[in-house]
Amino acid sequence: MRTFTRPLTALAGSAIALAVAITAVAPAATAAAATPPTAAPRLVTTSPAPVVGGYVPSNNVVTAASRLGKIKSDATLPASVDLRADAPPVGNQGRVGSCVAWSIGYSIMGYYADVDGGTGAPYAPLYLYLRAVKSAPGPSTGLVPEHALNEAQKYGVDTQSDYFQGTVDYRVRPTAAEIANAVNYKISGWKTLWSGVGNQGAVGQLAIERALAAGDPVAIGMPVFLDFQLLKGSATYNTLTGSNLGLHMVAAYGYDSEGLWIRNSWSTSWGANGDAKLSWAFVRKLVNAAFTVNGITTAPNPVVPAPTVVSLSATTGSTVGGDTVTIAGTGLDRATSVKFGNTSATFTTTKYDGATRLVATVPAGLAGTVGVTVTTPSGASTVSSTTKFKYVAPRPTVTALSASSSVIFGGSTVTLTGTALTGTKSVKVGSATAKFTVTSDTSLTFVVPKTSRAGTGRVVVTTAGGSSLPSGSDVFTHVNPPAPVVTALSVKSGKATLVTPTVVTGTDLFGATAVTVDGKRVSFTTLSGTQLRVLVPKHAVGTANIQVTTPGGSSVTGQTSTFSWVA
């Protein structure tokens, strides 16, 4: 193990020894290993007002004077100190009362990892919070700093890359594997500058200045007023009275003659990109706890666990591939390959509430179920019920029709263009089934079926992958034909006492529903779309019209449709 410690005695000119016994605080109980869910819903990570109340003072009251004595000043201290260049970036605790864990486990431990070369950073603040919290975690449940410090010293803090729960999903407790990994990353010790009481005055200010001058950030507990909660900009904050909304902890990284520079865990939208300066008057009167960490102890060559896959954002997809699946798990930032079964997938790495996620493009595959595995230099993840992916035949689509309408009699041939048409089982136009021929995976032809009435419907293709969904390009309309026209009669007259056959010639005669002679229905036979054979009945001597009716209407009577009866 490598131990990195920055003792206060390194400060030149300091004659004050701070090795004072600290009342012991019981370490957090070891959390039982939790079974991760297949897919945890996303929690809200931002809110109009940040969470306060996450710092809970212990019953252990310590004053700054009991640590430093009655020294009022120290001429050896530099006029200003700023350690923020080595501090981790500003984070966001979201809707969790985890400010203590962010200040100690993420910020200060991360600082020591940077300045002294420790491994594993960034460390997971939510892990430390869930391991040290004593009641149900969440927005309204805070953390005692001594509990967090003891947990970090005895059991360690998991790395953020290994902690698949991210930074805000407090419903999923640390797993056994995460607890085992955390022992590689511990704090080597810690000190209480003061605890459980405010109004520390100049001695409290001096204690913080000495720690920062020695290169040690300080975790401070403080009350929150409304204007602090809504703070914007870098002006020195100096509100000393107001309605206390709750207690909060931040990490202090520097000072000057005006006050104390702090780094918060409310995102960069708060304060001056996440930082703020507290006036010395505020610190001397209202800060009611201050802690330092001696350093960190990390494994020089920690055994990095093999990755695990905890959940997939989608567990089914098309055999043609191309869909994207987000993979949640541990150790994913070291991923070298992702496979669906034995087929490699392309992937990218992204962050989701502090946790690493892999976004994989599903490769083409055969219908059936395969395991999704991730490989890193430490090994490959194992396949479980939560890492199975089912390939299914793709749903067909309709993207174009060569014709979008036909007369109700059907019979015309239409070319349909789409996708995943291989293996088509049926084609329907409205409610009518059509005969079809598949010509390729992207094309088929069908014969328009006849229908009894005009109307509009969808062309629906069905395969093993399902039925095509509405696309706007699949609309087909059945229309009535034009009204028939009679242009000639093969026989235009006959004897009044006989039945006379005649052939009616014209246009749009197909689908004739009735033929009348002098208004009375007569027998007819359809010969083609342009000819009907009609039996003209006996009739009194005279003339009358032959009229044809189809779904498109009735023919107009005239000279070309007149028939004469003679004696």
Side-chain angles (χ1 to χ4, degrees), residues 6 8 11 18 77 81 83 112 193 205-218 255 291-292:
R6 301 178 66 83
L8 184 61
L11 175 61
L18 296 184
L77 290 175
V81 170
L83 307 177
Y112 283 116
L193 301 185
Q205 176 179 335
L206 179 61
I208 291 178
E209 288 175 324
R210 283 184 172 180
L212 292 172
D216 298 329
V218 182
Y255 70 84
F291 303 89
T292 60

Side-chain angles (χ1 to χ4, degrees), residues 404-405 429-431 451 453-459 474-479:
S404 59
S405 65
V429 182
S431 60
T451 184
R453 65 182 66 183
T456 298
R458 289 180 50 234
V459 179
D474 58 3
V475 178
F476 194 87
T477 303
H478 278 94
V479 297

Side-chain angles (χ1 to χ4, degrees), residues 126-179:
L126 186 63
Y127 172 89
L128 179 58
Y129 171 76
L130 290 175
R131 288 280 290 164
V133 72
K134 296 301 182 182
S135 56
S140 59
T141 305
L143 186 60
V144 176
E146 289 90 338
H147 294 173
L149 290 161
N150 280 328
E151 175 70 28
Q153 182 176 4
K154 186 173 183 179
Y155 301 108
V157 181
D158 196 16
T159 64
Q160 189 64 69
S161 65
D162 184 63
Y163 197 63
F164 76 89
Q165 295 92 328
T167 57
V168 297
D169 191 357
Y170 57 82
R171 298 165 301 175
V172 183
R173 292 281 187 171
T175 65
E178 291 167 335
I179 294 171

Side-chain angles (χ1 to χ4, degrees), residues 272-331:
N273 296 316
D275 294 346
K277 184 189 286 187
L278 304 179
S279 73
W280 283 123
F282 181 94
V283 174
R284 289 191 294 265
K285 179 179 180 181
L286 296 175
V287 171
N288 58 21
F291 303 89
T292 60
V293 170
N294 296 356
I296 60 173
T297 300
T298 66
N301 297 298
V303 177
V304 179
T308 62
V309 175
V310 176
S311 65
L312 306 175
S313 63
T315 56
T316 60
S318 168
T319 54
V320 300
D323 297 326
T324 57
V325 173
T326 300
I327 302 171
T330 65

Side-chain angles (χ1 to χ4, degrees), residues 276-497:
K277 184 189 286 187
L278 304 179
S279 73
W280 283 123
F282 181 94
V283 174
R284 289 191 294 265
K285 179 179 180 181
L286 296 175
V287 171
N288 58 21
F291 303 89
T292 60
V293 170
N294 296 356
I296 60 173
T297 300
T298 66
N301 297 298
V303 177
V304 179
T308 62
V309 175
V310 176
S311 65
L312 306 175
S313 63
T315 56
T316 60
S318 168
T319 54
V320 300
D323 297 326
T324 57
V325 173
T326 300
I327 302 171
T330 65
L332 302 184
D333 56 349
R334 301 181 294 273
T336 57
S337 75
V338 174
K339 288 187 175 181
F340 284 68
N342 294 321
T343 307
S344 295
T346 59
F347 67 93
T348 58
T349 302
T350 186
K351 291 292 184 181
Y352 178 92
D353 288 337
T356 300
R357 298 288 189 264
L358 303 180
V359 181
T361 300
V362 180
L366 300 177
T369 300
V370 299
V372 177
T373 56
V374 175
T375 299
T376 71
S378 301
S381 62
T382 57
V383 176
S384 68
S385 60
T386 61
T387 64
K388 297 291 184 68
F389 185 86
K390 184 178 181 180
Y391 279 105
V392 296
R395 184 188 295 273
T397 66
V398 178
T399 58
L401 300 174
S402 62
S404 59
S405 65
S406 169
V407 293
I408 61 174
F409 310 125
S412 60
T413 299
V414 174
T415 298
L416 180 150
T417 303
T419 62
L421 303 180
T422 300
T424 294
K425 295 181 176 181
S426 72
V427 175
K428 284 193 171 183
V429 182
S431 60
T433 300
K435 294 181 179 180
F436 65 91
T437 300
V438 177
T439 55
S440 72
D441 193 56
T442 59
S443 179
L444 62 79
T445 61
F446 66 88
V447 178
V448 179
K450 67 179 180 179
T451 184
S452 60
R453 65 182 66 183
T456 298
R458 289 180 50 234
V459 179
V460 178
V461 178
T462 300
T463 68
S467 297
S468 58
L469 299 174
S471 65
S473 300
D474 58 3
V475 178
F476 194 87
T477 303
H478 278 94
V479 297
N480 288 318
V485 175
V486 176
T487 58
L489 301 176
S490 64
V491 178
K492 302 190 65 175
S493 65
K495 293 182 179 181
T497 58

